[in-house]
Amino acid sequence: MAVRHYTLDFNLTAPADCSATLKGLQSVFQEQEMTEAVHNLEDHGYLATYIGKNGRFAILRIHPHGFVSIDLQSCEGNDNTEAYNLLNALEEKMKDLLHNNIKRIKRLPAIVRGGAVDRYWPTADGRLVEYDIDEVVYDEDSPYQNIKILHSQQFGNILILNGDVNLSESDLPYTKAIMGSGKEGYTGKEVLILGGGDGGILHEAVKLKPKMITMVHIDQMVIDGCRKHMRKTCGDVLDNLNGDCYQVLVEDCVPVLKKYAEEGRTFDYVINDLTAVPISTAPEEDSTWEFLRLILDLSMKVLRPSGKYFTQGNCVNLTEALDNYEEQLGRLYCPVEFSKEVVCVPSYMELWMFYTIWKK
């Protein structure tokens, strides 16, 4: 059974009398028939726990520097009205006790922990986002990663790989950006897609009448899951691994890139849509950065002199990671130039950096 976790915080304008505040709030918990245990933390204020019927559990923490926090847990099947009534009573009591000493009161929506549907996923820069997810559409482990497709009322189905939000059916801005934001002419061109198992890039690129698209993706189960559950993203391009102007190779892209480089095969566009955390059958790198540089070097070897390489970067808040990525561009086997573009990707709920790279 899931647990609902409520929080109620009070920032004070000046330190409160910890003992008096504790005694003042005790009557509220007593009215709820909750059993109390108090811990005097000396110079660090008080911590009190309260246990009530139906598994309700509360923690009161009174800090001497002017902060009071209340955490309340109740089983999800219980009447939420009781929890709200208790929090309302505690808030009113604090107002009576401290009068004008309260600077800010903050009550967050309840966090549901242990629910059948996981609604909480972190952003790239470590912030917690609660999505409006109401259904687990697909949840399987492949030989390479955990694959989830969850339904969001707002964004449609969302592909999540190893806990990382990859793409939703509403994220066409991502696909457009990683293809050059409509500034490139794909007609009659040869295109190499690295990753892209959701089929979004392939679906959009086919519309532009290229000569041939080769997509290399390592995980058949991602392709299978998206073919069935991400139709708004991939259309029908994943129904067959070979089409009139495309082929999908279910392979590790590293040996494929090496093979193409040895054969002298080149492309007008290389689009890197690999996952943020490297997946390879035979990794040669000691770090993520070395893997990224390996992919960049190999991609430059198969990129025509007039060609362009497109890739996602990272959340714009992760400036150090973006600087490190740009540093890698100066360490490739050949000199390159680059441009960058910031795009709002709907389901990411954060601004995202995209790069266009070409040989000097």
Side-chain angles (χ1 to χ4, degrees):
M1 181 180 290
V3 169
R4 297 179 67 86
H5 189 128
Y6 304 84
T7 60
L8 177 59
D9 298 335
F10 300 86
N11 287 83
L12 310 181
T13 57
D17 184 327
C18 295
S19 179
T21 302
L22 174 66
K23 290 179 181 178
L25 293 176
Q26 283 175 333
S27 62
V28 178
F29 291 106
Q30 289 170 355
E31 290 173 2
Q32 297 288 322
E33 299 180 349
M34 301 183 78
T35 304
E36 178 188 67
V38 177
H39 305 273
N40 187 339
L41 305 179
E42 303 298 337
D43 293 338
H44 300 285
Y46 285 88
L47 183 149
T49 60
Y50 300 88
I51 300 174
K53 59 184 179 179
N54 298 326
R56 279 195 302 163
F57 177 77
I59 299 174
L60 169 65
R61 184 73 170 88
I62 305 174
H63 297 265
H65 62 268
F67 178 65
V68 177
S69 65
I70 299 170
D71 292 81
L72 174 64
Q73 289 188 5
S74 66
C75 295
E76 193 174 23
N78 294 345
D79 184 0
N80 295 332
T81 304
E82 293 184 358
Y84 290 125
N85 289 341
L86 174 56
L87 292 170
N88 290 337
L90 289 167
E91 182 174 333
E92 292 304 313
K93 192 66 173 179
M94 282 288 289
K95 291 176 181 177
D96 291 340
L97 291 170
L98 299 178
H99 303 292
N100 296 325
N101 193 18
I102 297 176
K103 180 179 180 181
R104 183 174 68 241
I105 301 173
K106 186 67 175 181
R107 189 190 301 194
L108 297 176
I111 296 176
V112 180
R113 302 170 64 181
V117 177
D118 191 352
R119 299 164 61 97
Y120 305 96
W121 299 93
T123 59
D125 59 355
R127 292 173 291 111
L128 184 63
V129 173
E130 179 178 5
Y131 287 85
D132 55 350
I133 292 169
D134 57 8
E135 182 184 359
V136 178
V137 176
Y138 182 86
D139 188 355
E140 298 289 344
D141 289 311
S142 78
Y144 307 103
Q145 57 201 329
N146 174 258
I147 307 163
K148 286 183 174 67
I149 299 177
L150 309 178
H151 179 262
S152 158
Q153 299 172 54
Q154 186 173 192
F155 302 119
N157 287 345
I158 304 176
L159 174 65
I160 299 175
L161 300 177
N162 280 344
D164 182 42
V165 174
N166 271 237
L167 196 78
S168 81
E169 292 179 315
S170 297
D171 290 343
L172 185 59
Y174 174 100
T175 304
K176 294 291 189 182
I178 205 170
M179 293 177 63
S181 295
K183 301 171 186 175
E184 305 296 327
Y186 282 81
T187 302
K189 300 297 179 64
E190 293 194 71
V191 183
L192 176 63
I193 301 172
L194 307 177
D198 52 72
I201 297 171
L202 181 60
H203 179 53
E204 294 302 318
V206 164
K207 300 176 185 177
L208 303 178
K209 300 180 180 180
K211 179 180 179 181
M212 176 56 68
I213 304 169
T214 300
M215 176 176 134
V216 187
H217 187 83
I218 197 171
D219 199 336
Q220 180 71 56
M221 289 182 65
V222 171
I223 294 173
D224 292 342
C226 292
R227 179 178 63 241
K228 184 175 181 180
H229 302 294
M230 298 281 288
R231 301 293 288 191
K232 292 181 181 178
T233 295
C234 66
D236 60 2
V237 294
L238 297 180
D239 291 351
N240 297 288
L241 297 185
N242 291 281
D244 292 338
C245 65
Y246 70 89
Q247 62 174 340
V248 177
L249 306 179
V250 184
E251 299 183 39
D252 184 342
C253 73
V254 173
V256 172
L257 283 168
K258 288 182 176 180
K259 177 173 176 269
Y260 287 166
E262 291 171 0
E263 295 173 347
R265 184 174 178 185
T266 57
F267 299 85
D268 297 291
Y269 296 108
V270 177
I271 303 174
N272 179 356
D273 192 34
L274 298 171
T275 54
V277 178
I279 296 174
S280 177
T281 55
E284 303 174 15
E285 69 291 339
D286 294 325
S287 72
T288 298
W289 293 114
E290 289 186 18
F291 178 83
L292 290 174
R293 195 164 64 251
L294 171 67
I295 296 296
L296 279 162
D297 265 330
L298 291 172
S299 296
M300 291 302 112
K301 290 178 181 178
V302 302
L303 188 67
R304 290 173 182 163
S306 60
K308 291 185 179 178
Y309 173 94
F310 300 113
T311 188
Q312 59 160 319
N314 215 319
C315 163
V316 296
N317 285 346
L318 295 178
T319 55
E320 183 177 350
L322 293 170
D323 289 343
N324 286 340
Y325 181 79
E326 293 173 18
E327 181 183 335
Q328 303 305 312
L329 298 180
R331 300 172 62 187
L332 303 183
Y333 88 95
C334 66
V336 300
E337 294 181 310
F338 67 92
S339 63
K340 47 191 178 180
E341 178 185 16
V342 176
V343 173
C344 180
V345 181
S347 75
Y348 289 14
M349 300 192 195
E350 54 189 335
L351 297 177
W352 208 256
M353 185 73 76
F354 291 84
Y355 287 90
T356 301
I357 303 167
W358 60 93
K359 297 176 183 178
K360 281 189 179 180

